[in-house]
Amino acid sequence: MAMRQTPLTCSGHTRPVVDLAFSGITPYGYFLISACKDGKPMLRQGDTGDWIGTFLGHKGAVWGATLNTDATKAATAAADFTAKVWDAVSGDEVLTLAHKHIVKSVTFTQDSNCLLTAGNDKVLRIYDLSKPEAAPQEIPGHTSAIKKALWCNSDQQILSAADDKTIRLWDRSSMEAVKTLSFDTSVSSMEYMADGEILVITYGKTIAFYNALSLDLIKTVEAPASINSASLHPEKDFFVAGGDDFKLYKYDYSTKEELVPLRCHLSDQPQESYKGHFGPVHCVRFSPDGELYASGSEDGTLRLWQTAVGKTYGLWKCVLPEDLGAENSEQLYTPTPEIKA
């Protein structure tokens, strides 16, 4: 009997969800933060999607959000020309970092002491969070807005992707670009995996994998539609991607073959049997344990998808056909509480 993918829907946002990030695994599990154009980033329990809290304070769309490894700090990037650092336990705002234009990307160093920001003013900034009054280090060079900036190589280098159709690798100490990749179109997303030093990028219909240190191409895969985001499983067995056609695609990393397509729209499926996104998928990421992946969409929701369909994990419970009675023939999931901002 074929198992059906039944995603968990995380409601609460009122505008498109444009970015999401997981923490590492902590003694309390792992956590998920989402950035939304409603200006109210949300924190959730990562394995269930249960809402924990909303970070209130931005006065514009939030374009980027991240958690540090142990989920004690959060950072957000917004259209109000600020990046903010938050206490992820209490929800309190810790720091507001003023910028000259819209901020699109925020990333902590592994020790959580520094924050890397980037955005529409084309400049990378490194803030020492122990000296919030000090001016940040600034790294100019891109000629258009920067979409994403990430630490790599044990925080000794920085990867940045911009609308100037380049990805650049920067040396932190010299603050100079050491390598540049050029493309025919803007890069839509970028993911860095420290284990194996792999860079996952998407542009147009292409999902590409590079060595993050040399920027040598490893492989590319062409998808049927424009792709906005892709994520590689922690064990590098397969990867998922989502884009403009409302779908999630899953591929074998070694063979590049598409696995069972995971349709995110209703199409010809009965409404009761297949729930999914009703708009383009903007972001997708695997959880740190690889058991699920989360997707964020233009439809204002996040959805959690099982990596191994049918496995008992989080709110998913595997029920064998012989154990199903008429009274419990439908899967029951704990609904996410309504958010009252």
Side-chain angles (χ1 to χ4, degrees):
M1 184 183 72
M3 304 297 286
R4 192 183 72 227
Q5 175 72 267
T6 306
L8 302 178
T9 301
C10 305
S11 303
H13 283 301
T14 58
R15 297 287 307 283
V17 177
V18 292
D19 192 29
L20 55 85
F22 284 100
S23 71
I25 298 173
T26 78
Y28 307 99
Y30 60 87
F31 299 87
L32 172 64
I33 191 171
S34 53
C36 180
K37 289 185 181 179
D38 63 10
K40 298 172 182 177
M42 291 184 180
L43 183 69
R44 300 176 187 272
Q45 192 71 39
D47 61 341
T48 64
D50 288 339
W51 176 78
I52 295 173
T54 302
F55 299 101
L56 300 175
H58 278 297
K59 295 180 174 64
V62 175
W63 286 100
T66 192
L67 293 165
N68 65 346
T69 303
D70 63 6
T72 56
K73 292 179 181 178
T76 49
D80 60 8
F81 292 20
T82 71
K84 290 182 184 288
V85 178
W86 312 80
D87 183 317
V89 179
S90 68
D92 295 333
E93 182 181 317
V94 176
L95 206 57
T96 295
L97 304 169
H99 287 65
K100 298 174 182 176
H101 211 308
I102 293 168
V103 190
K104 288 287 184 74
S105 178
V106 280
T107 314
F108 289 106
T109 47
Q110 293 176 25
D111 61 12
S112 307
N113 291 334
C114 293
L115 185 73
L116 172 65
T117 71
N120 286 15
D121 66 357
K122 314 169 194 174
V123 176
L124 296 165
R125 289 182 174 83
I126 302 171
Y127 290 87
D128 184 339
L129 298 181
S130 66
K131 303 172 183 175
E133 71 287 342
Q137 290 180 284
E138 296 189 349
I139 307 176
H142 278 293
T143 57
S144 293
I146 303 171
K147 286 185 175 178
K148 194 75 173 178
L150 302 170
W151 295 105
C152 68
N153 192 15
S154 300
D155 299 337
Q156 297 176 52
Q157 293 181 307
I158 294 167
L159 286 159
S160 59
D163 284 336
D164 57 15
K165 303 178 185 178
T166 69
I167 285 180
R168 305 189 190 200
L169 179 67
W170 308 82
D171 183 78
R172 182 180 180 178
S173 56
S174 69
M175 297 196 295
E176 296 289 334
V178 292
K179 290 184 186 297
T180 301
L181 289 175
S182 297
F183 300 89
D184 294 331
T185 186
S186 292
V187 171
S188 51
S189 76
M190 182 170 67
E191 178 187 62
Y192 166 71
M193 293 192 70
D195 181 16
E197 296 289 348
I198 296 175
L199 179 64
V200 186
I201 67 170
T202 60
Y203 56 94
K205 296 181 179 181
T206 303
I207 305 144
F209 300 86
Y210 285 82
N211 179 290
L213 303 184
S214 66
L215 293 190
D216 291 335
L217 179 64
I218 300 171
K219 66 181 74 178
T220 62
V221 176
E222 295 297 315
S226 291
I227 296 296
N228 297 322
S229 183
S231 186
L232 179 61
H233 188 271
E235 295 179 5
K236 306 175 189 66
D237 296 330
F238 38 77
F239 61 93
V240 292
D244 287 350
D245 63 353
F246 305 7
K247 297 178 187 177
L248 286 176
Y249 293 93
K250 189 175 183 180
Y251 293 88
D252 184 291
Y253 180 65
S254 297
T255 66
K256 304 198 292 188
E257 291 181 3
E258 184 183 350
L259 304 175
V260 179
L262 308 173
R263 300 187 182 279
C264 288
H265 61 73
L266 296 183
S267 66
D268 57 350
Q269 296 283 349
Q271 186 163 349
E272 303 79 36
S273 68
Y274 231 114
K275 294 182 179 180
H277 286 300
F278 294 90
V281 178
H282 291 307
C283 45
V284 60
R285 284 291 178 269
F286 272 104
S287 62
D289 62 1
E291 291 286 351
L292 61 81
Y293 42 99
S295 57
S297 168
E298 184 76 14
D299 66 15
T301 68
L302 290 95
R303 295 181 195 265
L304 305 184
W305 307 79
Q306 263 189 302
T307 300
V309 179
K311 183 176 181 179
T312 294
Y313 179 83
L315 296 182
W316 289 285
K317 183 179 180 181
C318 181
V319 181
L320 298 175
E322 57 266 25
D323 296 332
L324 277 177
E327 71 280 3
N328 64 347
S329 60
E330 294 183 1
Q331 296 252 206
L332 298 178
Y333 296 110
T334 305
T336 304
E338 290 187 10
I339 313 302
K340 295 183 179 178

